[in-house]
Amino acid sequence: MTALGTFVLALTGILLMAMLDTLVYQESLFRALMGLLPDSTRGPLAMIIAALLIALWADLKQTGWMKKAMARLSGWKNAWKP
Amino acid sequence: MEALNASKLSPIHIYTIQLVFLLGTSIIFGTPKSVPDTWLIDLISLLPAALLCCLYAGLVDASHEQGLYPLLEKAWGRYAGKLLTLCYALYFLYIASRNIRDMTELVMTTLLRFTPNGLPVVMFALLVAYAAAGGLPAIGRLSVMIAALVILFFLTLAWMLYFSQSIDFERLLPFLSQGFGKVLQASASQSIWVPYGELIVFLVFVPHLGAKREYRRISLISLVSACAILTMSDILQTTTLGMENIKFSVFALLDAARMIDIFHFITRMDALVALIIIFGVLLKCAIFLYAAVKGASRVFPTQAKHLHLSFALLAGAFSMMVSHNGAEHVAEGLKYVIYGLHIPLQFLLPLGTLLLIWIRYPKGER
């Protein structure tokens, strides 16, 4: 649920900032969103993506998916051994 | 139980955390300059701030050492409570991002003029994540050092301004030129909510704060101390810059520090002001981040330690997206954020929660 939590917070955060922009500039939510996203260049977007990837990694670690995958890989490797 | 006792903060840690939290950015930016007698606004705000603290103390009583999030679920029901918990987590993250923006605006104008904007934000976000990941006891230990440094730097600035003969107490006059009503209005509409209302974040940490009565007493002492220091800061800014100049100054204490000139040898003490805000914002953001992570990990069941880094990066990203420029950032913070976020989440919702608890649970059940 770490990645889901991060995703929801990121999405609602962007919506909140757009809503505040609608109040400041007296424009529609869509226009505020369009103004917000392209304006913030690659930096913030890269940080949000990095945050999501880190959360996803934490989820994978928590579920033990990595361990299972590694075990399966080593199983395949052992199958080829004489 | 033993682990919980081990994570309880000592009274000195609670005091220093709250003191640095209240001083945070306010010591640099000063009180909003809606009337000339800004120092009086700070002084008057103490009374409503104490009343707000009483409301929060009532919530601490009602929460039975469980904290804000369980209390919301208890008062509003499971689903609405979780939704409100998410709202508070988002609110804390947003305030953290605004604080980071305050800090970067100042640092970029004083110390790192040619550094790309993203670099200090990423470095600071990593630092905040590390501080928050240490937990509340680590933040408490950090706060003692930060409180000592902030007060030392502030006193050094005051002392240097005095010796460079920049202070003139006649600049405080005319006194109450726009009447007492304007001062009261400015106090009620702005100063209570930032920084005093932000103390609501400490309701999240109720399980770590010790006995209720002791917490109430320490909160009031830190409130009075912060009010005294902020009033002194405002007086220092006004007596150095004058009422006319201070109106157009965004970083009032920074502009005051630029007036330091001792024998043409000790000049330009901008770095001290930058350090004050860096330390203050570090602690404030760590607390907000910790609270946001606790809320999110309650709504989306996961281990809180996995969320620190992600949320710190989110706060950093939001700090760059929160406004297009410095002027918009200040205007948004003084008007729209106060009425749209601070008043509902710092006052209306806590009051509603307390009333619901009183109505839904009679005294015995409570």
Side-chain angles (χ1 to χ4, degrees), chain B residues 340-359:
Chain B
L341 289 176
H342 289 331
I343 295 179
L345 290 169
Q346 291 178 1
F347 179 65
L348 296 179
L349 204 57
L351 187 68
T353 306
L354 196 60
L355 288 177
L356 265 180
I357 289 279
W358 280 343
I359 293 165

Side-chain angles (χ1 to χ4, degrees), chain B residues 8 18 35 78 93 111 161 184 220 230 249 265 267 272 303 315:
Chain B
K8 287 228 175 195
Q18 291 199 340
V35 288
R78 195 174 159 204
L93 203 64
L111 299 178
L161 279 169
L184 273 181
L220 279 177
L230 288 176
S249 170
F265 179 64
T267 55
L272 281 187
Q303 287 179 15

Side-chain angles (χ1 to χ4, degrees), chain B residues 17-27 30-32 38-57 91-92 95 99 183 186-203 215 218-234 284 288 338 342-343 345-347 350:
Chain B
I17 286 181
Q18 291 199 340
L19 181 66
V20 177
F21 183 84
L22 288 173
L23 295 181
T25 48
S26 306
I27 195 169
T31 311
T38 48
W39 62 275
L40 200 59
I41 299 176
D42 254 332
L43 215 54
I44 287 171
S45 302
L46 183 64
L47 187 68
L51 290 177
L52 204 60
C53 257
C54 287
L55 170 67
Y56 298 159
Y91 172 64
F92 293 143
I95 302 289
N99 282 319
V183 175
S187 164
S189 63
Q190 287 164 348
S191 286
I192 308 173
W193 315 112
V194 182
Y196 301 112
E198 289 175 345
L199 281 177
I200 192 166
V201 73
F202 285 92
L203 290 185
Y215 168 66
I218 294 168
S219 288
L220 279 177
I221 295 172
S222 58
L223 207 68
V224 173
S225 315
C227 175
I229 295 173
L230 288 176
T231 308
M232 279 199 304
S233 171
D234 273 332
K284 243 180 136 171
F288 278 129
I338 286 182
H342 289 331
I343 295 179
L345 290 169
Q346 291 178 1
F347 179 65

